[in-house]
Amino acid sequence: LIPSDDVFDGGPGKDGIPSIDEPRFMDANEVDYLDDSDLVVLVSFNDHVRAYPHMILDWHEIVNDKIGDIHFALTYCPLTGTAINWDREIDGELTTFGVSGLLYNSNLIPYDRKSNSNWSQIRLQCVYGENAGKIPGLFSAVETSWGSAKKISNLEVLTTNTGFSRSYGNYPYGDYRTNHDNLIFPVSP
């Protein structure tokens, strides 16, 4: 549903950026790897609040998670700085999402592992495959600083114990967030 000329291969290939499919959490009082100015994305269901630090999301882009009986995928694009909280139930069936390795307007294109369909994070819809045209269910997500988030009682925080060896705390795209003179991938208005 998007022009193929506007879809770019980000380089690492499908699942070359591994999603976190078995997230581990710790109590906010135990966290020693975040500074007050570090950004986190908050998700809340049924009085459970979880924080997903940008420093981890930068390296994984997708966390497949659940709280109670709510299954969701927090998708995050480090090139656009956008986080979306997707419902992992599509047409009554549960799926997980992975990183396709493709980008549209410099933004993440996740794929669902059940149908192998590609979803555009920026367009909030499936753009290729058997689910093309479908719009995912969305849940709230809030971006804030760690200094603000850590004041929330009973806050759980995604740990760096992800099962992968990454340089958490180092942004994987160099000075891209602060260098506004060039784009790694082209965008169309």
Side-chain angles (χ1 to χ4, degrees):
L1 300 179
I2 53 179
S4 58
D5 289 348
D6 290 343
V7 175
F8 290 89
D9 185 338
K14 192 176 210 174
D15 290 320
I17 297 171
S19 61
I20 298 175
D21 298 331
E22 295 181 23
R24 295 184 180 135
F25 297 88
M26 65 173 35
D27 186 270
N29 297 325
E30 299 172 15
V31 173
D32 63 359
Y33 55 89
L34 293 171
D35 294 328
D36 283 353
S37 61
D38 288 337
L39 294 175
V40 298
V41 178
L42 299 176
V43 171
S44 176
F45 295 105
N46 305 325
D47 297 325
H48 292 357
V49 184
R50 289 188 175 159
Y52 303 81
H54 274 218
M55 66 182 285
I56 299 172
L57 296 173
D58 283 340
W59 291 93
H60 295 284
E61 300 186 6
I62 298 174
V63 180
N64 290 294
D65 201 357
K66 74 176 215 146
I67 295 176
D69 59 354
I70 300 170
H71 296 78
F72 59 95
L74 184 65
T75 67
Y76 174 77
C77 181
L79 296 175
T80 57
T82 52
I84 305 292
N85 190 8
W86 308 61
D87 188 343
R88 291 196 293 124
E89 188 175 312
I90 302 168
D91 292 336
E93 295 195 36
L94 204 55
T95 189
T96 58
F97 285 87
V99 179
S100 71
L102 302 173
L103 300 164
Y104 170 64
N105 274 345
S106 202
N107 184 254
L108 168 69
I109 296 179
Y111 77 97
D112 76 79
R113 292 185 173 125
K114 184 97 174 148
S115 73
N116 204 31
S117 296
N118 288 346
W119 298 71
S120 172
Q121 187 202 49
I122 204 166
R123 286 185 49 145
L124 297 175
Q125 75 176 143
C126 183
V127 294
Y128 180 79
E130 71 179 62
N131 287 318
K134 291 186 180 170
I135 296 172
L138 299 175
F139 301 113
S140 296
V142 175
E143 180 183 71
T144 191
S145 69
W146 173 241
S148 293
K150 70 182 182 180
K151 296 173 186 174
I152 298 170
S153 61
N154 299 320
L155 178 66
E156 297 177 314
V157 183
L158 182 65
T159 72
T160 58
N161 184 9
T162 62
F164 301 95
S165 177
R166 297 291 186 268
S167 297
Y168 299 119
N170 293 322
Y171 182 67
Y173 300 98
D175 68 349
Y176 188 74
R177 283 190 296 209
T178 57
N179 180 352
H180 303 287
D181 293 330
N182 66 16
L183 293 171
I184 297 174
F185 299 97
V187 297
S188 61

